[in-house]
Amino acid sequence: MITGGAGFVGSYLCRMYKEKYPDANIVAFDNLHRRGSEFNLNDFKKRGIRFVHGDIRCPGDIEAIGETFDLFIEASAEPSVLIGLNCPDNYAIQTNLIGTINCLNFAFKHAGYFIFLSSSRVYSIDPLRNIPLKEGDTRFYIDTSKDIMKGLSVKGINEDFPTNTARSLYGATKLASELLIQEYVRAYGLKAIINRCGVICGPGQFGKVEQGVFTLWMANHYFKKPLKYTGFGGKGKQVRDILHPKDLFEVLNFQIEKMDGISGEIFNIGGGTDVSVSLLELTQICKKITQNEVPIESDEISHNVDIPLFITDYTKATQAFNWKPKTSVEDIVKDIYRWIVKNEDTVQSIF
Ligand SMILES: NC(=O)c1ccc[n+]([C@@H]2O[C@H](COP(=O)([O-])OP(=O)(O)OC[C@H]3O[C@@H](n4cnc5c(N)ncnc54)[C@H](O)[C@@H]3O)[C@@H](O)[C@H]2O)c1
């Protein structure tokens, strides 16, 4: 059972599980809130993935499924960090927090294992903005000559990094969900894992400025549309690590094998330093692949939830599962390019 199953990550996982377990009953549960998710439905039908149109804000929609599952992956969300309290009907809180509780209430009765896709955005904004940085020609680097903070090393940000001050509404709903999951583990014996994911991107993501900007970057190069470097001097030197969903799928499988010993644990999951990129560097990669150059404006002003650098230190996951991401930045971007070429009309209608 995958909630948000028609979204970018959820739909990728549905397909991977169906390939790995062809006889399994895979349910993609989604309210199709995200534009583009509807394009997965025909393909689900062909592959024998069952789509259920439902909303995690409504416990009755989840209960109505009336089945039990070995595994429940909570991958639905309003995933934009720019979403504010003014979003209609408190959508982010209702989905990302109350919806998660509804999923937990179902999962502890009707599912063997529960996996939650949390976010690196649970880490507090001010300490993230205070990470000592050096400015290189194409990106910011962590300045290890300065005092290193708790949870930070040359490898990036680990699970001990502060979460105790403001972290965006999105981050707060994810952190609050994490706390409740751990309570369900302790109080009700739920078997659950929390994965704090950095940026995940790849084919099938209908990116937009507010979320999915790496896919949007490639799409705008392909469709020759303008872009903008926003914040931190407006030079495009902000850095993120990125993760292909197939690398996420791999670590989820390792986690399931070991679930009994690690229930309630939190893991940072991301591309790490080896699979990190700045927007400026991404522009060069997109230019090389598409042979297109697009106008890029500059806006020096940073949004109050934006951060100049996030690189996941996934050492804990490596130690626990002998896992590390395998897909390079170039391969992720090429994969996005191939998806756009193959689905040009659909992709263009959304971007
Ligand atoms: N993509 C990333 O970079 C990233 C990084 C960290 C964490 N995550 C988390 O991974 C999960 C998947 O993200 P994604 O990138 O696939 O986002 P997405 O927007 O592509 O997918 C989310 C899906 O959830 C559905 N949804 C939204 N509200 C719902 C509701 N109330 N009921 C049922 N379905 C609902 C949407 O229609 C969409 O199909 C989310 O929980 C997100 O917070 C994503």
Side-chain angles (χ1 to χ4, degrees), residues 66 70 114 156 170 172 247 278 307 312 315:
D70 300 314
F114 185 85
Y170 169 67
D247 286 321
S278 71
I307 51 172
T312 308
T315 304

Side-chain angles (χ1 to χ4, degrees), residues 8-9 30-31 33-34 37 55-56 91 95 170 174 198 200:
F8 157 53
V9 177
D30 203 297
N31 70 349
H33 173 74
R34 176 76 177 250
S37 296
D55 195 314
I56 65 163
Y91 194 86
T95 291
Y170 169 67
K174 288 288 187 182
I200 309 167

Side-chain angles (χ1 to χ4, degrees), residues 42 52 68 80 88 115 143 150 165 177 241 296 307 330-331 333:
N42 270 341
V52 173
T68 58
S80 168
I115 291 185
D143 186 351
K150 184 180 172 225
T165 54
S177 295
D241 61 340
I296 306 187
I307 51 172
E330 277 77 7
D331 286 345
V333 180

